């Protein structure tokens, strides 16, 4: 079993002052050595410095929510991977459905960004997932395979340890709707098989596959217990120290029991 990864996506919430407060509460609750799984938080770029500073004495890693494909230059409003590393982050979320939907990110751009993130030594949390009408039409697997293949074509098996895939059915993000544990497991197994077929059995096995879409303390145990669910990408429930800590606790109880 892979270690579980509990990743909080704060989206466009919590400026430096509020982000620092939440990070300070998490730092107090989760000092270094207090969990065996992996925990990541992803604040807005402007709050990253404050969060990195507050979490310095913990094992919680920090991520950004997006990067540009170039190192520097005339790209007003963008941030680059060298800046992200310099700021103390180890992860970057790439291809979140909100970026695909509202900022026109297509599979080609998502692939370029994922490649850049991994080439520069960060870990990419690559988001894939189908929309409601696609699930209703039974197209979920072909949609996710297309999104994955676009990226895998540009990576090699050696990149496996720097890739995390987050399966986020768009209909479950921020809606209160959750995929059933069976729906999640089915898709995670499918993703795992795509990875194994593209690379190898061992490379496909070691990629952590997270579930995202209204995960919260009430439904996390069942979702995280599924064989191919290696953690969660969590929006709403990551914005409060109590609910996020509960999710970390649930993950811990599963790995120590299992
Ligand atoms: C997300 O933003 O990736 C997410 C899964 O959000 P929520 O948990 O709020 O559905």
């Amino acid at each position: 079993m892979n270690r579980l990864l509990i990743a909080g996506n704060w989206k466009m919430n919590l400026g430096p002052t509020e982000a620092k407060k939440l990070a300070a509460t998490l730092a107090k609750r989760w000092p270094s050595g207090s969990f065996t799984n992996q925990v990541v938080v992803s604040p807005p770029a402007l709050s990253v410095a404050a969060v990195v500073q507050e979490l310095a004495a913990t094992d919680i890693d920090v991520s950004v929510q997006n990067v540009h494909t170039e190192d520097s230059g005339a790209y007003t409003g963008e941030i680059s991977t060298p800046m992200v590393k310099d700021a103390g982050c180890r992860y970057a979320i790439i291809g979140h459905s909100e970026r695909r939907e509202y900022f026109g990110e297509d599979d080609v751009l998502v692939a370029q960004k994922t490649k850049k993130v991994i080439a520069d030594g960060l870990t990419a949390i690559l988001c894939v997932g189908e929309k409601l009408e696609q699930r209703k039409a039974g197209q979920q697997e072909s949609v996710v395979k297309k999104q994955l293949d676009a990226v895998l074509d540009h990576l090699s098996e050696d990149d496996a340890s720097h890739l995390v895939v987050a399966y986020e059915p768009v209909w479950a993000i921020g809606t209160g709707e959750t995929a059933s544990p069976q729906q999640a497991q089915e898709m995670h197994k499918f993703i795992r098989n795509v990875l194994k077929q593209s690379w190898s059995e061992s490379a496909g096995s070691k990629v952590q596959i997270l579930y995202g879409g209204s995960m919260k303390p009430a439904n996390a145990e069942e979702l995280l217990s599924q064989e191919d669910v290696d953690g969660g990408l969590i929006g709403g429930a990551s914005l409060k120290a109590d609910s996020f800590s509960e999710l970390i606790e649930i993950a811990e109880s599963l790995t120590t029991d299992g």
Side-chain angles (χ1 to χ4, degrees), residues 9 11 96 98 127 168 172-177 211-215 233-237:
N9 174 14
K11 310 194 185 191
H96 191 280
E98 289 151 15
C127 301
E168 300 210 302
I173 298 178
T175 59
E177 287 265 336
Y211 169 78
S214 301
M215 186 183 271
L233 181 56
I234 300 123

